[in-house]
Amino acid sequence: MTVESHKLVIQNIGLMLSGDLAMPLLDADCVVSIGGVIAAVGKGRDMDLENPDQLIDANGMALAPGLIDSHVHPVLGDYTPWQSKLNWIDSCLHGGTVLMIVFRPNCAHAGPCLMQAD
């Protein structure tokens, strides 16, 4: 077996998060990765789960993509060059956090401002 052909199957996932605000939950309970790249996401009964090199039973746990930091507190008053908060936000978005939602109460439009990594 080579790294390029390593087949990983994660099954029995209880909740699959997409990372997409428009469709946050996926109707899926299984992920297949081949060579470190996700090859399939869906229902295990509809997927090729034969002969995995590694099998992980999620036991009904949730699976989320990336490193979604659920505890980020950028505050409008902290956006100052002196505190270097703009660099901090940039580092978060390019260093693993895939999406940051900032609520700005005095914003011209209602609702959150989305900051997303490139």
Side-chain angles (χ1 to χ4, degrees), residues 10 12-17 25 58-65:
I10 305 173
N12 297 323
I13 299 166
L15 177 69
M16 179 110 40
L17 305 173
L25 301 177
N59 290 312
M61 296 180 79
L63 183 70

Side-chain angles (χ1 to χ4, degrees), residues 44-107:
R45 66 178 177 264
D46 302 326
M47 301 167 67
D48 174 16
L49 306 180
E50 297 296 317
N51 304 314
D53 296 300
Q54 185 177 6
L55 176 64
I56 298 174
D57 185 344
N59 290 312
M61 296 180 79
L63 183 70
L67 297 172
I68 298 175
D69 187 348
S70 62
H71 198 192
V72 176
H73 291 274
V75 180
L76 188 58
D78 287 346
Y79 289 125
T80 66
W82 178 74
Q83 293 175 320
S84 191
K85 291 301 179 183
L86 291 176
N87 294 339
W88 172 80
I89 291 169
D90 187 58
S91 292
C92 283
L93 291 175
H94 290 92
T97 300
V98 293
L99 180 70
M100 186 182 297
I101 302 171
V102 180
F103 288 94
R104 301 182 304 173
N106 298 324
C107 187

